[in-house]
Amino acid sequence: MDLYTLLKIAHVVGATVLLGTGAGIAFFMLMAHRARDPALIAHTARIVVLADTVFTASAVIMQPITGAALAHLAGYPLFSGWIGLSLVLYVVTGLCWLPVVWIQIRLRDLALQAVATRAPLPERYFRLFRWWFVLGFPAFAAVLSIVCLMVLKPAF
């Protein structure tokens, strides 16, 4: 296998990880939230924070590296056309994802505190969850759009 093929495999796997963990994390956090059980929310949020740290963060780092290398090897200009649009969407994703990670940590901590004190979830938990939910839509839509751009490679 040549370098281009290896980079392409790594890039596609990274995109799959971003899309898959994004969808999985959203599903599990939403299901835990709907149960309104602080212990379940705390447990789920612990796993979600770990998954974001291990899988999502690794893919976030590798995607621009493998993408830039692929663009260079294929002779595509990096900051124009579909690649330029992908980079803009990648920044949008990051601007949504970074607060979401912080919110997930806070949701976990608030749920752990509710468990420790045998109290209901505080109103702050619900406010933060609404922000988490809202920020997830543009982030997921941007990642999905990037995958479509990678596959379709439209001419602009």
Side-chain angles (χ1 to χ4, degrees):
M1 245 187 287
D2 64 348
L3 178 61
Y4 183 84
T5 303
L6 288 171
L7 286 168
K8 192 171 187 177
I9 290 168
H11 197 68
V12 169
V13 168
T16 305
V17 167
L18 286 176
L19 197 58
T21 44
I25 283 169
F27 176 78
F28 289 114
M29 281 294 288
L30 181 59
M31 292 299 103
H33 170 78
R34 289 184 61 192
R36 300 288 199 260
D37 176 357
L40 178 61
I41 292 167
H43 177 74
T44 303
R46 269 192 201 129
I47 294 168
V48 161
V49 169
L50 178 62
D52 253 348
T53 303
V54 173
F55 299 109
T56 310
S58 299
V60 162
I61 292 165
M62 290 306 298
Q63 284 307 98
I65 295 168
T66 57
L70 285 167
H72 174 73
L73 290 174
Y76 286 119
L78 195 56
F79 298 106
S80 63
W82 67 270
I83 296 175
L85 179 55
S86 293
L87 290 171
V88 169
L89 291 169
Y90 196 75
V91 169
V92 168
T93 302
L95 291 174
C96 294
W97 179 67
L98 289 172
V100 160
V101 171
W102 178 84
I103 291 169
Q104 287 170 177
I105 292 167
R106 291 296 303 133
L107 294 174
R108 178 201 62 199
D109 293 347
L110 290 167
L112 285 169
Q113 185 178 25
V115 170
T117 60
R118 298 179 191 248
L121 293 164
E123 180 55 36
R124 177 154 172 75
Y125 167 88
F126 294 99
R127 278 194 311 274
L128 284 170
F129 186 86
R130 284 189 292 275
W131 276 108
W132 177 88
F133 190 80
V134 167
L135 288 168
F137 282 99
F140 189 77
V143 171
L144 191 56
S145 297
I146 293 167
V147 170
C148 290
L149 288 168
M150 282 178 15
V151 171
L152 300 173
K153 296 178 180 51
F156 292 118

